[in-house]
mmCIF file of all heavy atoms in Angstrom:
data_model
loop_
_atom_site.group_PDB
_atom_site.id
_atom_site.type_symbol
_atom_site.label_atom_id
_atom_site.label_comp_id
_atom_site.label_asym_id
_atom_site.label_seq_id
_atom_site.Cartn_x
_atom_site.Cartn_y
_atom_site.Cartn_z
ATOM 1 N N HIS L 118 72.131 4.487 132.064
ATOM 2 C CA HIS L 118 72.927 3.401 131.824
ATOM 3 C C HIS L 118 74.095 3.659 130.822
ATOM 4 O O HIS L 118 74.541 2.866 130.099
ATOM 5 C CB HIS L 118 72.141 2.217 131.342
ATOM 6 C CG HIS L 118 71.825 1.245 132.373
ATOM 7 N ND1 HIS L 118 72.249 -0.083 132.446
ATOM 8 C CD2 HIS L 118 71.183 1.302 133.592
ATOM 9 C CE1 HIS L 118 71.834 -0.682 133.462
ATOM 10 N NE2 HIS L 118 71.188 0.174 134.204
ATOM 11 N N GLU L 119 74.519 4.954 130.789
ATOM 12 C CA GLU L 119 75.607 5.422 129.945
ATOM 13 C C GLU L 119 76.902 5.397 130.731
ATOM 14 O O GLU L 119 76.973 6.036 131.794
ATOM 15 C CB GLU L 119 75.333 6.783 129.369
ATOM 16 C CG GLU L 119 74.103 6.811 128.400
ATOM 17 C CD GLU L 119 73.917 8.134 127.810
ATOM 18 O OE1 GLU L 119 74.910 8.957 127.762
ATOM 19 O OE2 GLU L 119 72.737 8.435 127.482
ATOM 20 N N ASP L 120 77.866 4.674 130.295
ATOM 21 C CA ASP L 120 79.132 4.451 130.942
ATOM 22 C C ASP L 120 79.737 5.745 131.539
ATOM 23 O O ASP L 120 80.118 5.800 132.692
ATOM 24 C CB ASP L 120 80.083 3.670 130.105
ATOM 25 C CG ASP L 120 81.305 3.198 130.858
ATOM 26 O OD1 ASP L 120 82.236 3.929 130.916
ATOM 27 O OD2 ASP L 120 81.299 2.032 131.294
ATOM 28 N N LYS L 121 79.995 6.647 130.659
ATOM 29 C CA LYS L 121 80.629 7.905 131.040
ATOM 30 C C LYS L 121 79.927 8.621 132.121
ATOM 31 O O LYS L 121 80.460 9.174 133.115
ATOM 32 C CB LYS L 121 80.880 8.805 129.824
ATOM 33 C CG LYS L 121 81.873 8.299 128.818
ATOM 34 C CD LYS L 121 82.097 9.185 127.655
ATOM 35 C CE LYS L 121 83.113 8.644 126.674
ATOM 36 N NZ LYS L 121 83.344 9.560 125.487
ATOM 37 N N LYS L 122 78.629 8.789 132.009
ATOM 38 C CA LYS L 122 77.788 9.501 132.947
ATOM 39 C C LYS L 122 77.830 8.815 134.340
ATOM 40 O O LYS L 122 78.027 9.467 135.413
ATOM 41 C CB LYS L 122 76.380 9.624 132.521
ATOM 42 C CG LYS L 122 76.219 10.514 131.278
ATOM 43 C CD LYS L 122 74.732 10.615 130.907
ATOM 44 C CE LYS L 122 74.515 11.510 129.670
ATOM 45 N NZ LYS L 122 73.103 11.590 129.317
ATOM 46 N N VAL L 123 77.700 7.451 134.268
ATOM 47 C CA VAL L 123 77.717 6.709 135.520
ATOM 48 C C VAL L 123 79.061 6.772 136.258
ATOM 49 O O VAL L 123 79.196 6.903 137.470
ATOM 50 C CB VAL L 123 77.277 5.208 135.270
ATOM 51 C CG1 VAL L 123 77.388 4.337 136.526
ATOM 52 C CG2 VAL L 123 75.846 5.173 134.703
ATOM 53 N N ARG L 124 80.200 6.714 135.472
ATOM 54 C CA ARG L 124 81.469 6.774 136.065
ATOM 55 C C ARG L 124 81.666 8.134 136.664
ATOM 56 O O ARG L 124 82.348 8.285 137.742
ATOM 57 C CB ARG L 124 82.574 6.527 135.022
ATOM 58 C CG ARG L 124 82.673 5.113 134.599
ATOM 59 C CD ARG L 124 83.857 4.827 133.699
ATOM 60 N NE ARG L 124 83.816 3.440 133.252
ATOM 61 C CZ ARG L 124 84.308 2.404 133.967
ATOM 62 N NH1 ARG L 124 84.838 2.651 135.141
ATOM 63 N NH2 ARG L 124 84.248 1.169 133.473
ATOM 64 N N LYS L 125 81.126 9.173 136.137
ATOM 65 C CA LYS L 125 81.290 10.454 136.663
ATOM 66 C C LYS L 125 80.642 10.641 138.019
ATOM 67 O O LYS L 125 81.293 11.042 139.031
ATOM 68 C CB LYS L 125 80.765 11.543 135.709
ATOM 69 C CG LYS L 125 80.874 13.040 136.172
ATOM 70 C CD LYS L 125 80.284 13.955 135.149
ATOM 71 C CE LYS L 125 80.412 15.373 135.567
ATOM 72 N NZ LYS L 125 79.610 15.702 136.829
ATOM 73 N N ILE L 126 79.430 10.196 138.095
ATOM 74 C CA ILE L 126 78.773 10.377 139.411
ATOM 75 C C ILE L 126 79.242 9.305 140.404
ATOM 76 O O ILE L 126 79.217 9.588 141.622
ATOM 77 C CB ILE L 126 77.225 10.218 139.270
ATOM 78 C CG1 ILE L 126 76.798 8.810 138.821
ATOM 79 C CG2 ILE L 126 76.675 11.234 138.276
ATOM 80 C CD1 ILE L 126 75.318 8.559 139.079
ATOM 81 N N MET L 127 79.717 8.119 139.967
ATOM 82 C CA MET L 127 80.306 7.189 140.810
ATOM 83 C C MET L 127 81.528 7.819 141.553
ATOM 84 O O MET L 127 81.713 7.579 142.769
ATOM 85 C CB MET L 127 80.731 5.901 140.115
ATOM 86 C CG MET L 127 81.237 4.844 141.077
ATOM 87 S SD MET L 127 81.707 3.296 140.254
ATOM 88 C CE MET L 127 83.197 3.782 139.407
ATOM 89 N N ALA L 128 82.327 8.580 140.866
ATOM 90 C CA ALA L 128 83.469 9.216 141.487
ATOM 91 C C ALA L 128 83.036 10.253 142.550
ATOM 92 O O ALA L 128 83.638 10.366 143.621
ATOM 93 C CB ALA L 128 84.312 9.903 140.437
ATOM 94 N N GLU L 129 81.962 10.973 142.264
ATOM 95 C CA GLU L 129 81.398 11.896 143.261
ATOM 96 C C GLU L 129 80.894 11.203 144.480
ATOM 97 O O GLU L 129 81.097 11.587 145.605
ATOM 98 C CB GLU L 129 80.295 12.698 142.589
ATOM 99 C CG GLU L 129 80.685 13.592 141.476
ATOM 100 C CD GLU L 129 79.549 14.335 140.798
ATOM 101 O OE1 GLU L 129 78.460 14.370 141.433
ATOM 102 O OE2 GLU L 129 79.755 14.970 139.772
ATOM 103 N N LEU L 130 80.159 10.083 144.225
ATOM 104 C CA LEU L 130 79.554 9.354 145.363
ATOM 105 C C LEU L 130 80.682 8.715 146.245
ATOM 106 O O LEU L 130 80.663 8.701 147.439
ATOM 107 C CB LEU L 130 78.686 8.244 144.811
ATOM 108 C CG LEU L 130 77.397 8.726 144.159
ATOM 109 C CD1 LEU L 130 76.705 7.621 143.362
ATOM 110 C CD2 LEU L 130 76.398 9.317 145.180
ATOM 111 N N ARG L 131 81.743 8.183 145.558
ATOM 112 C CA ARG L 131 82.789 7.616 146.257
ATOM 113 C C ARG L 131 83.560 8.605 147.130
ATOM 114 O O ARG L 131 83.810 8.266 148.281
ATOM 115 C CB ARG L 131 83.810 7.003 145.191
ATOM 116 C CG ARG L 131 85.018 6.295 145.760
ATOM 117 C CD ARG L 131 85.808 5.675 144.701
ATOM 118 N NE ARG L 131 87.053 5.045 145.218
ATOM 119 C CZ ARG L 131 87.829 4.298 144.459
ATOM 120 N NH1 ARG L 131 87.647 4.234 143.172
ATOM 121 N NH2 ARG L 131 88.893 3.753 144.984
ATOM 122 N N SER L 132 83.826 9.759 146.619
ATOM 123 C CA SER L 132 84.389 10.823 147.371
ATOM 124 C C SER L 132 83.578 11.202 148.638
ATOM 125 O O SER L 132 84.065 11.299 149.714
ATOM 126 C CB SER L 132 84.665 12.041 146.565
ATOM 127 O OG SER L 132 85.233 13.069 147.274
ATOM 128 N N PHE L 133 82.245 11.349 148.445
ATOM 129 C CA PHE L 133 81.383 11.726 149.512
ATOM 130 C C PHE L 133 81.409 10.672 150.614
ATOM 131 O O PHE L 133 81.503 10.952 151.854
ATOM 132 C CB PHE L 133 79.987 11.911 148.978
ATOM 133 C CG PHE L 133 78.950 12.205 150.079
ATOM 134 C CD1 PHE L 133 78.799 13.471 150.522
ATOM 135 C CD2 PHE L 133 78.169 11.113 150.553
ATOM 136 C CE1 PHE L 133 77.857 13.695 151.602
ATOM 137 C CE2 PHE L 133 77.244 11.337 151.580
ATOM 138 C CZ PHE L 133 77.040 12.643 152.101
ATOM 139 N N LEU L 134 81.299 9.411 150.234
ATOM 140 C CA LEU L 134 81.188 8.346 151.246
ATOM 141 C C LEU L 134 82.567 8.166 152.040
ATOM 142 O O LEU L 134 82.589 7.823 153.184
ATOM 143 C CB LEU L 134 80.860 7.025 150.556
ATOM 144 C CG LEU L 134 79.445 6.980 149.976
ATOM 145 C CD1 LEU L 134 79.243 5.702 149.166
ATOM 146 C CD2 LEU L 134 78.383 6.957 151.134
ATOM 147 N N ASN L 135 83.666 8.451 151.316
ATOM 148 C CA ASN L 135 84.940 8.346 152.016
ATOM 149 C C ASN L 135 85.150 9.497 152.984
ATOM 150 O O ASN L 135 85.931 9.369 153.932
ATOM 151 C CB ASN L 135 86.132 8.371 150.938
ATOM 152 C CG ASN L 135 86.341 6.995 150.417
ATOM 153 O OD1 ASN L 135 86.351 5.993 151.150
ATOM 154 N ND2 ASN L 135 86.548 6.954 149.088
ATOM 155 N N GLU L 136 84.510 10.641 152.807
ATOM 156 C CA GLU L 136 84.688 11.790 153.638
ATOM 157 C C GLU L 136 83.654 11.884 154.760
ATOM 158 O O GLU L 136 83.839 12.641 155.672
ATOM 159 C CB GLU L 136 84.567 13.043 152.785
ATOM 160 C CG GLU L 136 85.670 13.237 151.739
ATOM 161 C CD GLU L 136 85.357 14.388 150.758
ATOM 162 O OE1 GLU L 136 84.294 15.006 150.870
ATOM 163 O OE2 GLU L 136 86.216 14.631 149.877
ATOM 164 N N THR L 137 82.670 10.975 154.712
ATOM 165 C CA THR L 137 81.577 11.135 155.770
ATOM 166 C C THR L 137 81.255 9.789 156.489
ATOM 167 O O THR L 137 80.109 9.538 156.770
ATOM 168 C CB THR L 137 80.327 11.650 155.093
ATOM 169 O OG1 THR L 137 79.919 10.766 154.059
ATOM 170 C CG2 THR L 137 80.446 13.059 154.530
ATOM 171 N N PRO L 138 82.281 8.972 156.840
ATOM 172 C CA PRO L 138 81.941 7.740 157.442
ATOM 173 C C PRO L 138 81.305 7.885 158.816
ATOM 174 O O PRO L 138 80.571 7.040 159.230
ATOM 175 C CB PRO L 138 83.258 7.015 157.591
ATOM 176 C CG PRO L 138 84.260 8.140 157.564
ATOM 177 C CD PRO L 138 83.758 9.162 156.669
ATOM 178 N N GLN L 139 81.631 8.979 159.495
ATOM 179 C CA GLN L 139 81.172 9.180 160.872
ATOM 180 C C GLN L 139 79.672 9.552 160.879
ATOM 181 O O GLN L 139 79.055 9.424 161.977
ATOM 182 C CB GLN L 139 81.983 10.289 161.559
ATOM 183 C CG GLN L 139 81.714 11.687 161.007
ATOM 184 C CD GLN L 139 82.437 11.947 159.678
ATOM 185 O OE1 GLN L 139 83.153 11.166 159.184
ATOM 186 N NE2 GLN L 139 82.224 13.200 159.170
ATOM 187 N N LEU L 140 79.102 9.893 159.736
ATOM 188 C CA LEU L 140 77.717 10.241 159.649
ATOM 189 C C LEU L 140 76.777 9.103 159.475
ATOM 190 O O LEU L 140 75.537 9.220 159.574
ATOM 191 C CB LEU L 140 77.532 11.221 158.517
ATOM 192 C CG LEU L 140 78.287 12.590 158.546
ATOM 193 C CD1 LEU L 140 77.870 13.457 157.421
ATOM 194 C CD2 LEU L 140 77.919 13.295 159.901
ATOM 195 N N TYR L 141 77.292 7.857 159.164
ATOM 196 C CA TYR L 141 76.495 6.688 158.964
ATOM 197 C C TYR L 141 75.826 6.402 160.317
ATOM 198 O O TYR L 141 76.418 6.440 161.326
ATOM 199 C CB TYR L 141 77.319 5.517 158.490
ATOM 200 C CG TYR L 141 76.482 4.372 157.909
ATOM 201 C CD1 TYR L 141 76.264 4.349 156.598
ATOM 202 C CD2 TYR L 141 76.013 3.390 158.760
ATOM 203 C CE1 TYR L 141 75.494 3.247 156.051
ATOM 204 C CE2 TYR L 141 75.297 2.320 158.305
ATOM 205 C CZ TYR L 141 75.039 2.265 156.963
ATOM 206 O OH TYR L 141 74.259 1.243 156.459
ATOM 207 N N PRO L 142 74.442 6.081 160.291
ATOM 208 C CA PRO L 142 73.619 5.810 159.262
ATOM 209 C C PRO L 142 72.613 7.013 158.965
ATOM 210 O O PRO L 142 71.396 6.723 158.819
ATOM 211 C CB PRO L 142 72.827 4.585 159.721
ATOM 212 C CG PRO L 142 72.680 4.855 161.196
ATOM 213 C CD PRO L 142 73.873 5.590 161.594
ATOM 214 N N GLU L 143 73.090 8.182 158.896
ATOM 215 C CA GLU L 143 72.181 9.290 158.530
ATOM 216 C C GLU L 143 71.676 9.091 157.077
ATOM 217 O O GLU L 143 72.266 8.383 156.260
ATOM 218 C CB GLU L 143 72.908 10.609 158.628
ATOM 219 C CG GLU L 143 73.217 10.971 160.055
ATOM 220 C CD GLU L 143 73.872 12.379 160.146
ATOM 221 O OE1 GLU L 143 73.942 13.098 159.105
ATOM 222 O OE2 GLU L 143 74.281 12.784 161.261
ATOM 223 N N SER L 144 70.473 9.613 156.837
ATOM 224 C CA SER L 144 69.682 9.366 155.612
ATOM 225 C C SER L 144 70.568 9.672 154.353
ATOM 226 O O SER L 144 70.625 8.850 153.417
ATOM 227 C CB SER L 144 68.444 10.148 155.594
ATOM 228 O OG SER L 144 68.698 11.528 155.665
ATOM 229 N N GLU L 145 71.249 10.822 154.286
ATOM 230 C CA GLU L 145 71.985 11.184 153.141
ATOM 231 C C GLU L 145 73.054 10.181 152.792
ATOM 232 O O GLU L 145 73.298 9.860 151.656
ATOM 233 C CB GLU L 145 72.548 12.589 153.231
ATOM 234 C CG GLU L 145 73.209 13.103 151.956
ATOM 235 C CD GLU L 145 73.724 14.496 152.061
ATOM 236 O OE1 GLU L 145 73.745 15.067 153.126
ATOM 237 O OE2 GLU L 145 74.246 14.990 151.012
ATOM 238 N N VAL L 146 73.794 9.696 153.821
ATOM 239 C CA VAL L 146 74.842 8.756 153.578
ATOM 240 C C VAL L 146 74.308 7.408 153.131
ATOM 241 O O VAL L 146 74.833 6.812 152.169
ATOM 242 C CB VAL L 146 75.684 8.527 154.917
ATOM 243 C CG1 VAL L 146 76.827 7.514 154.695
ATOM 244 C CG2 VAL L 146 76.210 9.866 155.427
ATOM 245 N N CYS L 147 73.189 7.009 153.710
ATOM 246 C CA CYS L 147 72.552 5.692 153.264
ATOM 247 C C CYS L 147 72.059 5.786 151.803
ATOM 248 O O CYS L 147 72.245 4.898 151.023
ATOM 249 C CB CYS L 147 71.447 5.366 154.203
ATOM 250 S SG CYS L 147 71.961 4.853 155.824
ATOM 251 N N PHE L 148 71.458 6.948 151.485
ATOM 252 C CA PHE L 148 71.000 7.214 150.109
ATOM 253 C C PHE L 148 72.159 7.183 149.137
ATOM 254 O O PHE L 148 72.143 6.557 148.091
ATOM 255 C CB PHE L 148 70.300 8.503 149.987
ATOM 256 C CG PHE L 148 68.969 8.542 150.751
ATOM 257 C CD1 PHE L 148 68.468 9.764 151.188
ATOM 258 C CD2 PHE L 148 68.304 7.372 150.978
ATOM 259 C CE1 PHE L 148 67.241 9.837 151.842
ATOM 260 C CE2 PHE L 148 67.085 7.438 151.699
ATOM 261 C CZ PHE L 148 66.573 8.662 152.159
ATOM 262 N N ARG L 149 73.258 7.851 149.437
ATOM 263 C CA ARG L 149 74.431 7.874 148.555
ATOM 264 C C ARG L 149 75.092 6.520 148.454
ATOM 265 O O ARG L 149 75.570 6.121 147.396
ATOM 266 C CB ARG L 149 75.470 8.883 149.144
ATOM 267 C CG ARG L 149 75.036 10.329 149.162
ATOM 268 C CD ARG L 149 74.732 10.966 147.799
ATOM 269 N NE ARG L 149 73.348 10.773 147.433
ATOM 270 C CZ ARG L 149 72.392 11.655 147.751
ATOM 271 N NH1 ARG L 149 72.681 12.718 148.547
ATOM 272 N NH2 ARG L 149 71.108 11.490 147.327
#
């Protein structure tokens, strides 16, 4: 629940989800 840490991984998750829309609903995309 630390702001800086959460913002860092949120940016990573956001990038991954934007790059892999065609993979939904595979498990990794749903987990992310």
